[in-house]
Amino acid sequence: MKWTPLLAILLGLLMIGGMVFAGALQNNRGGIFEPPSKGQPPISPTPGKEVIIKTFVGKSSMHVAEQFLQKYWDKLTLRINLEEFGDCTFIGIALRPLPGGMYAPLYYFANESSGYASLRILNESFTSEATKFVDLPLGVKGALGDEPRREWDSIGRISTITTSQDITTWRGDKVTVYNKLGVDFWVTEAKMGYYYYVYLSHEAKVPSEKDFPKDFRVAVKEVRERATILNPSREQAYFGIGSFKPEGSGSSSEPTVTWGLNVGIDTTGLPNAGAGFSETYTKGLTFKWYTDDIDANRDIEFEFYGLNKKEWLGSSPAWGQIFITHPVVVPFVKKGTPFHMVEMKLRAEADFIYEETRPYCGLGCGTYTVKKSTSAPPIEFTVELYPWFVNRK
């Protein structure tokens, strides 16, 4: 599957629109949520009303956002522990009304290391993400393997968590590399329980070659994703359909590839798993991938490595190329599981390699090349999924 159709599917799901939501954004755009006064009554969500949009800024944003969410806690289809995002200085939350008075949430996180120059740009970025999320169809048709086509309900999104690492060159220039993660969640009901479709968007980002400082270059070395089911009972929550385990390895001589799942996905509905370099017109890019179940049906890891560019005499790191992966995991819970809930831990890591040419003078003067590796801080958090909120009438 080429990158262009994959993007077409994603763009088809994320078309911008919604007049009611536009009014909600206009009323809240740029508005910074303040802690409620003692005399302010608690917010009471009303079914069928506008999307609730809030932003939280500053060192106390996590604490204030947590207070806000407590008012809706028993009506959320996707729950997270905001303390795991304690270093964020900007949190955006959009709560989308669902049948029965429940809400599917969008959580948006950013901090000073996210690469945004101003609060205005942060607000615009969140507004764009929220608009796409709200216009996402509540239900799409899709099939897994030999399963019949079913209606999949969107139950929330987490976007866009970013960590970064600064590299200082010998000249004193600062180069920043980024580790970025977003996740979309769907659920469908089957005879024996519930299937979830957890779609990760993981990006390891470096500056393009034209933006490199003099005598310096950097590339993505390796990316990894891991999903772990935390539900106590191994008999009630696990990955896959029957004995499904995503495992194996492979390599690609193309810029993009669909990889790593041995179960058919009907791409007319849900987006497909995939991986590749962001610039598909760049030729000679290669990578390898490996997928393994660390703990059978409970703990799965995806690894992409050997991210290279072919040259006349061998290969080199893919300098200046952004690498993006879209792993998919399919948790399943039996109907006897309390609240039909899945509790998962997700982790995303990105390693980078860089080299620079430095001068030296001894008996004579010349240059030498220094090669080093670095990593952006990993992204890791726990999420709880509650499909019964969607299905309650």
Side-chain angles (χ1 to χ4, degrees):
M1 181 177 181
K2 299 298 181 182
W3 200 260
T4 302
L6 174 60
L7 287 179
I9 294 170
L10 291 175
L11 291 174
L13 288 173
L14 301 179
M15 292 175 59
I16 297 175
M19 297 303 293
V20 172
F21 173 64
L25 276 184
Q26 187 174 4
N27 293 334
N28 290 276
R29 191 169 184 173
I32 308 305
F33 179 80
E34 299 294 341
S37 63
K38 292 182 179 180
Q40 180 177 347
I43 298 174
S44 178
T46 305
K49 296 298 183 180
E50 296 180 351
V51 175
I52 298 169
I53 305 291
K54 294 292 182 181
T55 55
F56 309 85
V57 176
K59 294 182 179 180
S60 64
S61 58
M62 182 273 293
H63 177 68
V64 180
E66 195 171 45
Q67 289 182 328
F68 166 74
L69 284 178
Q70 286 303 316
K71 302 169 185 178
Y72 299 90
W73 197 246
D74 62 347
K75 297 181 180 295
L76 298 177
T77 57
L78 202 66
R79 297 179 182 175
I80 57 177
N81 180 4
L82 290 182
E83 291 182 358
E84 295 183 298
F85 309 90
D87 62 340
C88 289
T89 54
F90 181 97
I91 298 176
I93 296 175
L95 302 181
R96 184 181 186 182
L98 297 173
M102 311 308 163
Y103 289 91
L106 163 71
Y107 303 102
Y108 179 95
F109 299 95
N111 53 31
E112 294 178 357
S113 68
S114 300
Y116 296 101
S118 68
L119 178 60
R120 177 185 62 81
I121 295 176
L122 267 176
N123 272 297
E124 289 177 355
S125 176
F126 168 60
T127 298
S128 176
E129 286 287 313
T131 303
K132 294 175 184 178
F133 171 70
V134 170
D135 202 54
L136 187 74
L138 281 177
V140 296
K141 291 286 187 179
L144 299 177
D146 296 330
E147 292 285 314
R149 284 170 58 85
R150 293 189 175 91
E151 184 84 6
W152 290 78
D153 295 307
S154 171
I155 60 171
R157 174 169 170 75
I158 298 174
S159 175
T160 300
I161 309 164
T162 303
T163 63
S164 65
Q165 179 65 44
D166 291 335
I167 304 169
T168 302
T169 73
W170 73 273
R171 294 175 179 272
D173 298 310
K174 186 178 75 171
V175 178
T176 306
V177 294
Y178 297 95
N179 182 28
K180 305 177 71 174
L181 178 67
V183 192
D184 290 277
F185 302 86
W186 285 269
V187 67
T188 190
E189 184 176 2
K191 183 177 180 180
M192 299 300 294
Y194 291 83
Y195 291 124
Y196 293 89
Y197 197 87
V198 181
Y199 180 83
L200 283 73
S201 298
H202 185 201
E203 177 179 326
K205 185 177 182 181
V206 298
S208 63
E209 287 189 277
K210 65 182 179 63
D211 295 324
F212 287 166
K214 186 177 180 181
D215 304 328
F216 178 91
R217 51 188 180 178
V218 62
V220 181
K221 181 181 179 182
E222 183 175 319
V223 297
R224 295 174 299 278
E225 301 86 31
R226 188 164 183 166
T228 305
I229 289 181
L230 302 177
N231 290 39
S233 172
R234 300 178 64 89
E235 299 300 320
Q236 291 182 324
Y238 53 88
F239 285 114
I241 306 168
S243 60
F244 163 58
K245 298 176 185 177
E247 58 187 354
S249 61
S251 61
S252 172
S253 59
E254 298 294 330
T256 63
V257 68
T258 300
W259 53 271
L261 289 175
N262 61 356
V263 57
I265 305 295
D266 182 351
T267 57
T268 58
L270 301 171
N272 233 8
F277 294 93
S278 62
E279 299 184 36
T280 58
Y281 58 82
T282 304
K283 304 299 182 182
L285 298 172
T286 65
F287 65 92
K288 299 179 181 179
W289 58 265
Y290 178 72
T291 309
D292 189 24
D293 53 325
I294 308 301
D295 179 5
N297 281 331
R298 302 284 293 185
D299 197 348
I300 296 172
E301 186 170 79
F302 306 89
E303 179 182 6
F304 297 85
Y305 60 100
L307 314 180
N308 290 324
K309 183 175 183 178
K310 290 184 178 179
E311 296 181 341
W312 287 105
L313 298 175
S315 62
S316 72
W319 306 115
Q321 299 292 325
I322 299 170
F323 194 80
I324 301 173
T325 71
H326 294 291
V328 170
V329 292
V330 185
F332 177 80
V333 294
K334 294 183 178 179
K335 288 193 173 178
T337 306
F339 310 120
H340 313 308
M341 181 195 76
V342 167
E343 183 180 15
M344 297 182 65
K345 177 174 286 187
L346 298 173
R347 183 179 177 90
E349 301 174 80
D351 299 333
F352 305 86
I353 186 171
Y354 64 94
E355 64 178 40
E356 59 181 342
T357 302
R358 299 179 180 180
Y360 74 89
C361 286
L363 296 177
C365 291
T367 60
Y368 67 100
T369 300
V370 175
K371 296 182 179 180
K372 292 185 178 181
S373 296
T374 190
S375 300
I379 298 169
E380 185 174 72
F381 58 88
T382 302
V383 59
E384 295 178 347
L385 292 73
Y386 289 85
W388 64 283
F389 290 141
V390 174
N391 293 298
R392 179 187 291 178
K393 303 301 181 183

